[in-house]
Amino acid sequence: MPWDKNAAATHADDHARSHSTGNCARYVREAVDAGGVTLGHTHYAKNYGPVLAAAGFRQVHGVPLKGDVVVIQPAPGHPAGHMAIFDGANWVSDFKQLHGLYPGPAYRSARPAYVVYRHP
């Protein structure tokens, strides 16, 4: 099945919780799967870059587009890192991130490195 960024974004929105559950990687992986691209598993969100690249995603820069996936490195108190998918308006992980790319205060304060990936 070809990549369907709309299906992936809709899945993310439909399954987002009202707050973080600590399962961002699983929620984003399931959204990408719903969009037609099967990802392998890693234990931590911070390690999904190579998995996304192996599935055909490429690093991009600039304004995010619907279906883009971000992998963020750890922030203090959050050793697993974070990942989210862009729904065209907001970044969504296991919850809708209404404050931008970084999911919470620790990330917004530390501003750790991140990479945005896009499927062609």
Side-chain angles (χ1 to χ4, degrees), residues 39-52:
L39 296 178
H41 296 244
T42 72
H43 190 68
Y44 297 116
K46 68 180 181 180
N47 297 328
Y48 261 93
V51 175
L52 288 160

Side-chain angles (χ1 to χ4, degrees), residues 46-101:
K46 68 180 181 180
N47 297 328
Y48 261 93
V51 175
L52 288 160
F57 284 79
R58 299 293 172 249
Q59 292 184 27
V60 296
H61 302 281
V63 178
L65 299 177
K66 183 185 285 188
D68 285 358
V69 175
V70 65
V71 175
I72 305 174
Q73 293 308 298
H78 302 275
H82 185 72
M83 65 189 292
I85 186 168
F86 193 66
D87 71 358
N90 295 296
W91 289 99
V92 182
S93 53
D94 48 344
F95 69 104
K96 287 191 181 185
Q97 299 175 198
L98 303 180
H99 298 285
L101 178 111

